[in-house]
Amino acid sequence: MENFIRTYTVNKKLCDGLIKYHKLNKEYKAEGETSRGVIKDYKDSIDVRFYNQSIDKTILDFFKILSVCAKKYLEEFKIEFNIITDTVNLIQYYPKNGGYKVFHSENASLPTAHRRLVYMLYLNNVPDGGTEFKYQNIITPAVKGNLIIWPADFTHTHKGVISKTKEKYIATGWFKMEQPDY
């Protein structure tokens, strides 16, 4: 059966630039939140938000590559509606033993119901880390430069594979349908 999870490859220098963006950012950095707020037993991370309107060269380069990968995904599955990235995107830092520890989906509440697809880019190698997809029985390993795209629905409930030995960085966000101009 088709799992609708696809992996694309991104330049590793871009990954390094996104980690640097996270480390240097002070304005948009905060404790990672779930739909219920900051709960370290669920999600232990430091998140930096970045926005579609950014003028930062690294963020702009990332969006260019993300657009190419999203287009490939839409073409492969013959998805005919246009998508755009959601307004807020995240670069997340997970300390050793940190991560998104509970199974969740990406559009499970009213404020997130508009999400159609999810993207996640592993920014560093974590040999004992990754993402576990519950119903697909798949673990995507945390390999620097791997960009994963999948549906946001409950069918793709997932959680982080928690590393006891390494920190993990990811860039993540969502695609929503572009509203037609009528």
Side-chain angles (χ1 to χ4, degrees), residues 2 6 8 70-79:
E2 177 59 60
R6 290 295 180 271
Y8 306 93
K71 183 177 180 190
K72 287 179 184 177
Y73 189 94
L74 295 175
E75 288 172 355
E76 178 179 351
F77 293 110
K78 297 177 180 32
I79 298 171

Side-chain angles (χ1 to χ4, degrees), residues 80-123:
E80 295 186 13
F81 55 81
N82 290 328
I83 58 171
I84 56 173
T85 52
D86 210 346
T87 306
V88 177
N89 303 266
L90 301 170
I91 301 171
Q92 298 177 323
Y93 162 77
Y94 297 112
K96 293 177 191 172
N97 296 308
Y100 211 126
K101 301 173 182 182
V102 297
F103 280 112
H104 63 284
S105 62
E106 299 296 332
N107 65 0
S109 66
L110 193 55
T112 61
H114 62 280
R115 296 174 179 171
R116 294 293 172 254
L117 296 172
V118 185
Y119 73 82
M120 179 176 56
L121 171 61
Y122 295 111
L123 301 178

Side-chain angles (χ1 to χ4, degrees), residues 74-179:
L74 295 175
E75 288 172 355
E76 178 179 351
F77 293 110
K78 297 177 180 32
I79 298 171
E80 295 186 13
F81 55 81
N82 290 328
I83 58 171
I84 56 173
T85 52
D86 210 346
T87 306
V88 177
N89 303 266
L90 301 170
I91 301 171
Q92 298 177 323
Y93 162 77
Y94 297 112
K96 293 177 191 172
N97 296 308
Y100 211 126
K101 301 173 182 182
V102 297
F103 280 112
H104 63 284
S105 62
E106 299 296 332
N107 65 0
S109 66
L110 193 55
T112 61
H114 62 280
R115 296 174 179 171
R116 294 293 172 254
L117 296 172
V118 185
Y119 73 82
M120 179 176 56
L121 171 61
Y122 295 111
L123 301 178
N124 65 322
N125 290 316
V126 184
D128 60 341
T131 305
E132 178 183 354
F133 290 88
K134 184 176 185 175
Y135 302 118
Q136 289 75 21
N137 283 329
I138 290 174
I139 293 176
T140 58
V143 174
K144 182 178 183 175
N146 279 2
L147 173 71
I148 316 297
I149 298 178
W150 71 89
D153 293 310
F154 74 93
T155 56
H156 287 73
T157 298
H158 60 285
K159 69 177 181 175
V161 175
I162 308 304
S163 174
K164 296 182 184 332
T165 63
K166 292 207 46 151
E167 301 169 327
K168 180 167 79 172
Y169 284 91
I170 65 168
T172 190
W174 309 271
F175 295 101
K176 61 184 179 179
M177 286 182 14
E178 185 176 39
Q179 295 301 316

